[in-house]
Amino acid sequence: MNFTCLMLGILFASAGVFFYSGRAVNHITAWKSMSEDEKRKIRIGPLCRNVGTMIFISGIIFILSGLWKAFRGDVFLWSMIAWLILSGLDVYWIGKSGRYQIPE
């Protein structure tokens, strides 16, 4: 058992649930500093669920690495590379799709 990976996994999974529930957005400085008009233009619920899911998935990868010795080698590395690529594509899609913006 790898205690560091396990603790990081629990931390990331918890943060993912916190974001998914929509409670984390109130603690983000950029969100606090936005005007009410800007906030009204964003579909924050679906955006929080998207971000929370991505953070939760990284937590699961770390938990598996912490609990399963065979997962720690190349499988962990390739899982994290795949996660980084997918999260990068997700951020690109969030910016380009307009799904999280309310039309004026």
Side-chain angles (χ1 to χ4, degrees), residues 20-66:
Y20 190 90
S21 69
R23 290 181 278 161
V25 74
N26 297 325
H27 301 285
I28 298 173
T29 305
W31 180 257
K32 289 179 187 178
S33 65
M34 288 175 103
S35 70
E36 289 301 317
D37 287 340
E38 289 176 312
K39 289 180 182 179
R40 270 183 258 154
K41 294 177 184 177
I42 300 172
R43 290 187 174 117
I44 197 64
L47 182 59
C48 285
R49 287 191 295 274
N50 183 314
V51 172
T53 300
M54 292 306 293
I55 295 171
F56 185 78
I57 290 170
S58 72
I60 295 301
I61 292 170
F62 274 95
I63 288 172
L64 287 174
S65 177

Side-chain angles (χ1 to χ4, degrees), residues 1-3 5 64-77:
M1 181 183 302
N2 186 333
F3 185 71
C5 282
L64 287 174
S65 177
L67 294 176
W68 188 16
K69 188 175 183 176
F71 194 83
R72 273 184 223 137
D74 289 339
V75 179
F76 175 76
L77 176 68

